[in-house]
Amino acid sequence: MATEVKVPVLGESVTEATVGEWLKQPGDAVAADEPIASLETDKVAIDVPSPVAGVMGEHKVAVGDTVEVGAVIALIEAGSGAAAKPAAAKEAAPTPAAAKEEAAASGDTVTMSPAVRRAVLEHGVDPTTIKGTGKDGRLTKEDVLAAAKAKEAAPAAAQASAPSPAPVAAAAAPGRNTERVKMTRMRQTIAKRLKGAQENAALLTTFNDVDMSAVIEARNKYKDLFAKKHDVRLGFMGFFAKAACLALKDVPSVNAYIEGDEIVYHDYVDISVAVSAPNGLVVPVVRDADKKSFARIEKDIADFGQRAKEGTLTMEDMSGGTFTISNGGVFGSLMSTPIINPPQSAVLGLHRIDERPVVVNGEIVIRPMMYIALSYDHRLIDGREAVTALKIIKEAIEDPTRMLIDL
């Protein structure tokens, strides 16, 4: 008897996905609940587990195919993996490359996300020889890329130490090549959502600059104690998240969105934090940020960043959100006009910190300054409200005491 493997429920309002890769090939032994395929949805990669133990049967769909929830994608045959393997295959020892691929695909020896599995197979590295830097020792894509780079450097070093060969004719100039790669479902969705935001919202951006002296002084003074007590680094995002909460409470429209001919207001603040993932930008949500401590916010953001690299964020992590913060400053951006994350109506953009001359009490002084930007939907938020919200954030960062006494 063969058991059908069906596409599981993918999340709220998600009805289809793309087959990202097959983790098990026909004839491979499969344990119950062991991942056999990876599906790419609009937001995350999801492993499809085997409903029973047995042998991997026929693949009903191919990599790159679009499948709907409930569709049959494979069959699991009854029996043991050992019995299903040809006798010759048992006797012949696998090549190192095959052993690596089998270990990477099965994940028996190393816990890996779909994104990491792909990197292992693409670069032909042995995951059992790589020390994982992720949570609980998990491998990250960066770990695999570093191992691949070291692997490439080793033969080059050996070649450099070997005697120089006799001169040969100069090689022909490299050609001008192009490559077509199908967009991932996540990248397609990002493209559609961002274009939709431009077409459906009346976007406008207001700017201000912030003196970061007080926040930098507070971080330098308390970062060691903070890290020791909470086991997390004290960053800038906690300050800006708390400052944004003050602004959103004072200017409720910035924390609202338009739905049909109605305005939906929120009495809570769920902040979406833009995080760079291997397949694109994702926005996991820090829920009830207005009620959380600095430490809890920083822990949530650090956890999101780590899981984004590992490809283990879930649909639940990224659903909802009433306001977004995007920090282009970590990549060196001086100034930008961030785009809203629909259906939200506003996004705060942070940028790099530069020492610049400013006038303070009639004197020119050098201060660590950051440009901040608030992009907003002008259909809902008036210019006065947007400027007021950004000014509240600026004042809270320049005088963090405001965040404690809720001014």
Side-chain angles (χ1 to χ4, degrees), residues 237-301:
M237 286 297 289
F239 288 94
F240 278 101
K242 280 297 187 182
C245 289
L246 292 182
L248 300 181
K249 286 183 177 180
D250 283 1
V251 190
S253 61
V254 181
N255 195 42
Y257 65 85
I258 295 175
E259 186 174 73
D261 59 357
E262 296 180 330
I263 299 174
V264 180
Y265 291 95
H266 305 91
D267 64 356
Y268 56 87
V269 178
D270 286 353
I271 295 183
S272 302
V273 181
V275 176
S276 181
N279 291 334
L281 192 70
V282 294
V283 279
V285 181
V286 178
R287 305 190 190 282
D288 294 317
D290 53 323
K291 298 180 179 65
K292 288 184 175 177
S293 66
F294 271 76
R296 186 65 264 170
I297 291 174
E298 293 289 0
K299 285 182 178 180
D300 286 353
I301 294 173

Side-chain angles (χ1 to χ4, degrees), residues 13-41:
S13 75
V14 181
T15 60
E16 61 181 23
T18 300
V19 180
E21 69 173 317
W22 284 104
L23 308 178
K24 290 291 185 179
Q25 299 301 320
D28 288 349
V30 178
D33 296 325
E34 183 178 6
I36 64 168
S38 174
L39 303 181
E40 294 179 354
T41 69

Side-chain angles (χ1 to χ4, degrees), residues 88-382:
K90 290 183 188 179
E91 297 172 2
T95 63
K100 293 173 186 177
E101 181 170 344
E102 185 174 346
S106 67
D108 289 340
T109 56
V110 181
T111 303
M112 294 179 288
S113 69
V116 175
R117 287 193 191 97
R118 282 193 288 272
V120 166
L121 296 176
E122 287 173 5
H123 296 280
V125 295
D126 185 351
T128 62
T129 65
I130 306 173
K131 182 178 180 181
T133 61
K135 186 176 181 181
D136 299 326
R138 291 173 66 96
L139 285 184
T140 67
K141 187 175 181 180
E142 286 71 18
D143 296 333
V144 175
L145 295 179
K149 188 175 181 180
K151 180 181 177 183
E152 293 173 359
Q159 185 177 0
S161 62
S164 300
V168 295
R176 290 160 54 85
N177 301 318
T178 60
E179 181 182 7
R180 291 181 181 269
V181 179
K182 184 177 177 62
M183 293 174 68
T184 64
R185 178 168 289 272
M186 181 184 292
R187 178 55 62 185
Q188 292 178 45
T189 301
I190 290 172
K192 290 177 182 177
R193 286 173 61 84
L194 294 183
K195 187 59 181 175
Q198 288 183 320
E199 293 175 347
N200 300 323
L203 292 178
L204 197 61
T205 304
T206 183
F207 299 92
N208 215 319
D209 59 354
V210 178
D211 184 346
M212 297 292 292
S213 298
V215 167
I216 291 175
E217 182 181 355
R219 286 185 70 227
N220 290 339
K221 185 174 182 180
Y222 297 113
K223 63 181 181 181
D224 293 337
L225 288 174
F226 188 88
K228 183 177 180 180
K229 181 174 181 179
H230 301 292
D231 194 28
V232 68
R233 175 177 168 270
L234 177 60
F236 291 123
M237 286 297 289
F239 288 94
F240 278 101
K242 280 297 187 182
C245 289
L246 292 182
L248 300 181
K249 286 183 177 180
D250 283 1
V251 190
S253 61
V254 181
N255 195 42
Y257 65 85
I258 295 175
E259 186 174 73
D261 59 357
E262 296 180 330
I263 299 174
V264 180
Y265 291 95
H266 305 91
D267 64 356
Y268 56 87
V269 178
D270 286 353
I271 295 183
S272 302
V273 181
V275 176
S276 181
N279 291 334
L281 192 70
V282 294
V283 279
V285 181
V286 178
R287 305 190 190 282
D288 294 317
D290 53 323
K291 298 180 179 65
K292 288 184 175 177
S293 66
F294 271 76
R296 186 65 264 170
I297 291 174
E298 293 289 0
K299 285 182 178 180
D300 286 353
I301 294 173
D303 179 57
F304 289 149
Q306 185 62 48
R307 288 197 287 138
K309 292 179 181 178
E310 298 171 353
T312 57
L313 287 172
T314 66
M315 296 289 291
E316 184 180 357
D317 292 327
M318 290 178 282
S319 63
T322 63
F323 181 76
T324 294
I325 299 179
S326 177
N327 187 3
V330 296
F331 303 110
S333 173
L334 175 64
M335 186 181 292
S336 67
T337 55
I339 191 166
I340 64 173
N341 177 26
Q344 298 172 19
S345 297
V347 53
L348 174 66
L350 310 182
H351 303 92
R352 77 179 190 226
I353 301 172
D354 284 331
E355 290 193 343
R356 297 198 298 268
V358 295
V359 178
V360 178
N361 297 326
E363 296 184 356
I364 298 176
V365 295
I366 303 298
R367 294 289 174 86
M369 305 295 294
M370 175 195 287
Y371 290 116
I372 57 176
L374 184 75
S375 290
Y376 58 98
D377 187 348
H378 210 344
R379 297 177 303 162
L380 171 60
I381 303 169
D382 294 331

